[in-house]
Amino acid sequence: MWNDSNKYDRGVNTFSPEGRIFQIEYAFAAVKMAATAIGIRTDEGVILAVEKKLPSRLMDPTSVEKIMEIDSHVGCASSGIAGDAKTLADHARVETQNHKFSFNEPLKVEAVTRSIADLAIHFGEGSEGMKEKPMSRPYGVSLLVAGVDEDGPQLYVTDPAGAYLKYKA
């Protein structure tokens, strides 16, 4: 006989009777168990710092990338699954370059963050005519997105559920 307690964690958009989506909770657990990322916003700029937890002493620490440049004015620090962070950062790079090519101006930091959050929230959706389907599970990563635009230094955080928040400090 099958155990009914875990039948709600098989689908990425299946709600349990309590209104929970277990796949999202598993992604949050991956972030919670990951290394720490810290962002500090000042009037003059933003500082990002990360802890590099290496699963093996045989790994080369320089091969683990936790802070990534998205554009010349935006960067991000990740906490969670490294492959998911790379996917979201690559998406943000494409968005910033498309905006720069189309409008000859840099994309605002909030718009970059919104683009990342939109991809994260639409993880299981696809549309007709798409060659590639997006992820079939939530991204198990949280990003600190930092940059400087015409509004000054900006610091945002994204989470696996597709939400983003702005920080003042």
Side-chain angles (χ1 to χ4, degrees):
M1 190 82 189
W2 292 98
N3 185 0
D4 285 345
S5 65
N6 65 354
K7 67 182 175 183
Y8 298 104
D9 67 351
R10 293 193 187 117
V12 294
N13 56 3
T14 304
F15 286 90
S16 72
E18 297 87 28
R20 298 165 52 191
I21 300 178
F22 288 112
Q23 291 288 326
I24 297 284
E25 291 182 15
Y26 298 154
F28 273 102
V31 172
K32 193 179 285 188
M33 291 186 303
T36 303
I38 297 172
I40 301 170
R41 187 185 76 79
T42 68
D43 292 336
E44 298 172 4
V46 184
I47 301 167
L48 294 175
V50 294
E51 172 190 22
K52 284 190 180 181
K53 285 185 180 176
L54 298 177
S56 170
R57 291 187 304 167
L58 299 176
M59 287 182 68
D60 181 11
T62 61
S63 68
V64 178
E65 189 176 9
K66 296 280 189 180
I67 297 179
M68 296 165 273
E69 181 181 16
I70 293 174
D71 199 11
S72 60
H73 69 294
V74 183
C76 69
S78 67
S79 179
I81 299 172
D84 290 355
K86 185 174 178 347
T87 300
L88 293 176
D90 287 346
H91 171 77
R93 287 181 185 119
V94 169
E95 290 293 317
T96 57
Q97 291 304 307
N98 283 341
H99 185 84
K100 190 181 289 185
F101 180 75
S102 298
F103 301 105
N104 199 25
E105 66 181 12
L107 189 59
K108 293 182 78 169
V109 179
E110 182 177 9
V112 174
T113 308
R114 187 179 321 112
S115 171
I116 294 168
D118 285 347
L119 181 62
I121 200 167
H122 296 295
F123 61 86
E125 298 177 3
S127 60
E128 289 186 36
M130 285 184 66
K131 292 181 182 177
E132 295 181 22
K133 269 197 98 162
M135 292 286 285
S136 61
R137 61 166 177 81
Y139 294 97
V141 67
S142 183
L143 295 178
L144 285 172
V145 182
V148 179
D149 57 20
E150 64 228 24
D151 298 328
Q154 307 287 321
L155 179 62
Y156 293 89
V157 64
T158 66
D159 67 26
Y164 71 94
L165 301 168
K166 182 178 181 178
Y167 281 100
K168 293 183 178 180

